[in-house]
Amino acid sequence: MDGQWQLCRGAQSIDICDPFTGQVFQQLPAGGAADVDVAVAAARVALEDSRWANLSAAERSILLNRLADLVERRVDEIAAIETRDVGMPAHIARLTIQVAIAALRHSAALARLLTNRTIEGGDVDYHVYTRREPVGVVGIITPWNGPFVLLCNKIGAALAAGCPCVIKPPELAPISSIYLMSLISEAGIPPGVVNLVVGTGVEAGEALARHPDVRKVSFTGSTRTGQHLIRLAAEDLTRLTLELGGKSPLIIMNDADLDRAVPTAAWAVFGNSGQACYAASRLYVQETIYQPFLERLVEFTRSLKLGDPSDAQTDLGPLISREHRDRVAGRVEAERRGGGTIVVGGTPAPGNGFGYYPTIIADAAPDSEVMQDEIFGPVLCVSPFRSLDDALREANNSKYGLAAGIFTSNISDGHHAARSIRAGTVWINCYAHVDPSQPFGGYGLSGWGREFGPDALEPFLEVKSVQVKLNRASH
Ligand code: ADP
């Protein structure tokens, strides 16, 4: 906070656990409302003395690129932190750090493109223009499934727009966020511009979201917490960007390139052990290829190696915590009793860690819990369909709308699906290809607003109109 490490004021602490060994390897003091007050006050001073917003956008851009350079030099180190803290396989962790670097550079580029408008529609005796100004202190609340990349995305956009911020990292995996703070100082970003309070959601997170001096909260996490934040935000009309859960559909047409579709469908849901907001957890396969496709998918799934995430041969790591693993297992057991067929997986991995085998469920009813609710684990529901229209109807039978995909060699079907599916991103003949240049966010219960893309800074800006009365002298 304010450029210094400070000890939290409360007596609480948080255990940080390695999800692969199940062992606690660190204890961190947990901050609460009093710490959040100090952090927000530091950010507010930084806002009011304009130490950040008064830099030119080009200078902010240079500092963000410098931060990206520092991250780039530490990719392996940061990936190793993420692997231990989250249980994310090393190769996936490195990929997420590369996206983090791209996100910072994207925000740096957008800072240089900030422009305002001159308005010509009104009275000619007035010179009218707009100014876009930082919205104020931003609260950033991130989840544990990709803490570093999600944080870099959010601070990049906030800082490019000129907003000081206070970060509340996920209590289950806060270490890469803490590490980023030293890189932020090393990059030369002034003290007080970025502050971080480690703590739980209900203590530190809630205090941040409620704080009257926080003008915007950028949140990624569960739909349930997102809904709660909306209630908290009502008091001060705090602006919100919410990137929430999903139950994303992937459609495989019988003309698809199956050599690509099979592994992509598996990775689309099992990547990061299903702990991804855009995981394609509902798979619809055209009935004429349903059986052979399912056989190939099961074979591919069996070939995925679940194990030590730091081992280069490992495909899938453990789930984040024992509670989460037990929750995932409970969902699968409920469906086993409820009528679905567990085709593969359906059991926890042996050992003290929190592994769970990738699981495929067939014949789940369209309105069953496993088909409707986000599980956030390596659990895929597969269903056959007759026509593309049937598949699209099923794809849209969801309260979520984060992402979707279709594999087809018919370009018209691909575009028709993209137009018909209610989701923030539709991937055709690919899946989970995330690029900061493209907007990302959800329809329905998947959230509010978009991150990334050409308009990524807009949610962090207020628009002001300025009118100048022109007193023309009569000559
Ligand atoms: P998940 O179920 O993926 O952990 P959460 O929505 O619970 O998702 O957590 C995402 C982030 O939101 C975490 O940083 C967590 O600490 C924070 N959080 C959880 N509950 C609250 C809350 N009541 N107020 C503010 N932040 C919260």
Side-chain angles (χ1 to χ4, degrees):
M1 299 187 285
D2 210 9
Q4 288 172 350
W5 299 112
Q6 300 189 26
L7 252 194
C8 297
R9 278 134 191 88
Q12 311 279 60
S13 64
I14 303 176
D15 289 343
I16 311 294
C17 183
D18 177 335
F20 178 64
T21 61
Q23 300 297 312
V24 172
F25 65 93
Q26 193 137 8
Q27 266 198 331
L28 293 175
D35 304 288
V36 167
D37 283 346
V38 175
V40 173
R44 192 174 159 182
V45 170
L47 177 76
E48 283 169 2
D49 72 11
S50 294
R51 75 184 69 159
W52 184 248
N54 264 4
L55 295 181
S56 71
E59 286 169 310
R60 295 202 297 270
S61 174
I62 289 167
L63 289 172
L64 280 173
N65 272 321
R66 199 176 289 161
L67 178 60
D69 293 342
L70 292 174
V71 173
E72 201 154 34
R73 271 184 239 144
R74 313 294 215 290
V75 170
D76 288 343
E77 211 172 317
I78 302 167
I81 294 175
E82 219 70 324
T83 293
R84 182 145 197 222
D85 217 8
V86 180
M88 189 186 279
H91 61 102
I92 299 184
R94 272 195 297 277
L95 278 179
T96 68
I97 313 303
Q98 294 298 346
V99 177
I101 296 163
L104 289 169
R105 296 207 190 288
H106 177 68
S107 293
L110 289 182
R112 286 184 180 266
L113 295 175
L114 274 171
T115 50
N116 288 305
R117 289 179 169 174
T118 314
I119 310 288
E120 291 295 343
D123 192 326
V124 293
D125 288 333
Y126 290 82
H127 170 56
V128 180
Y129 62 93
T130 61
R131 280 182 48 75
R132 287 187 302 162
E133 299 177 349
V135 70
V137 173
V138 171
I140 292 178
I141 303 178
T142 47
W144 47 260
N145 62 322
F148 192 82
V149 58
L150 294 167
L151 177 57
C152 285
N153 166 33
K154 289 182 191 304
I155 57 159
L159 293 180
C163 298
C165 31
V166 176
I167 300 161
K168 208 301 282 171
E171 59 269 48
L172 290 174
I175 297 182
S176 61
S177 309
I178 298 171
Y179 185 93
L180 182 68
M181 293 305 288
S182 12
L183 301 188
I184 285 171
S185 339
E186 197 180 332
I189 293 170
V193 172
V194 184
N195 308 274
L196 170 141
V197 180
V198 176
T200 63
V202 283
E203 296 283 335
E206 188 139 343
L208 183 60
R210 275 181 191 283
H211 203 292
D213 290 339
V214 170
R215 293 309 315 140
K216 176 184 171 67
V217 170
S218 178
F219 171 78
T220 298
S222 64
T223 295
R224 186 180 30 79
T225 304
Q227 290 163 327
H228 184 63
L229 292 178
I230 293 173
R231 287 180 210 112
L232 296 182
E235 187 66 26
D236 296 308
L237 295 184
T238 311
R239 290 184 181 199
L240 289 175
T241 301
L242 302 173
E243 205 268 87
L244 309 175
K247 191 77 196 176
S248 298
L250 175 59
I251 297 170
I252 313 290
M253 302 296 292
N254 59 14
D255 60 3
D257 173 352
L258 299 189
D259 291 343
R260 282 169 59 197
V262 169
T264 307
W267 280 112
V269 61
F270 300 137
N272 207 23
S273 293
Q275 302 170 119
C277 52
Y278 50 66
S281 49
R282 292 183 293 144
L283 182 67
Y284 298 99
V285 183
Q286 199 153 20
E287 60 183 8
T288 46
I289 58 162
Y290 181 75
Q291 272 312 328
F293 189 91
L294 188 54
E295 279 162 27
R296 286 182 67 176
L297 186 66
V298 167
E299 190 188 330
F300 187 87
T301 303
R302 286 212 169 95
S303 76
L304 293 173
K305 186 165 177 278
L306 171 67
D308 181 348
S310 62
D311 179 343
Q313 305 303 314
T314 293
D315 295 308
L316 307 181
L319 299 182
I320 187 74
S321 66
R322 187 178 307 282
E323 294 71 37
H324 185 52
R325 198 262 317 268
D326 292 349
R327 209 163 31 230
V328 169
R331 297 296 199 88
V332 174
E333 286 317 310
E335 182 53 34
R336 203 194 297 268
R337 291 191 300 274
T341 309
I342 315 295
V343 185
V344 63
T347 48
N352 295 326
F354 314 134
Y356 193 83
Y357 284 108
T359 301
I360 299 179
I361 303 177
D363 312 321
D367 293 323
S368 60
E369 279 187 10
V370 280
M371 288 287 273
Q372 290 296 325
D373 294 344
E374 184 178 48
I375 296 178
F376 221 63
V379 180
L380 173 66
C381 294
V382 197
S383 314
F385 68 86
R386 191 162 289 170
S387 68
L388 177 56
D389 283 346
D390 292 342
L392 294 173
R393 204 170 310 111
E394 286 306 321
N396 280 332
N397 176 18
S398 174
K399 49 194 189 273
Y400 294 106
L402 190 61
I406 179 166
F407 270 79
T408 176
S409 55
N410 182 326
I411 192 75
S412 306
D413 282 351
H415 286 300
H416 175 65
R419 198 186 158 101
S420 308
I421 297 175
R422 294 184 48 75
T425 298
V426 179
W427 282 291
I428 302 177
N429 293 331
C430 58
Y431 200 86
H433 180 252
V434 176
D435 187 311
S437 64
Q438 296 151 25
F440 188 83
Y443 289 38
L445 290 197
S446 292
W448 276 353
R450 295 290 177 270
E451 299 189 279
F452 289 153
D455 304 321
L457 308 195
E458 295 305 319
F460 298 90
L461 294 164
E462 290 280 11
V463 178
K464 178 184 279 178
S465 287
V466 182
Q467 298 191 4
V468 185
K469 176 82 169 72
L470 303 174
N471 293 314
R472 282 175 300 156
S474 43
H475 295 290

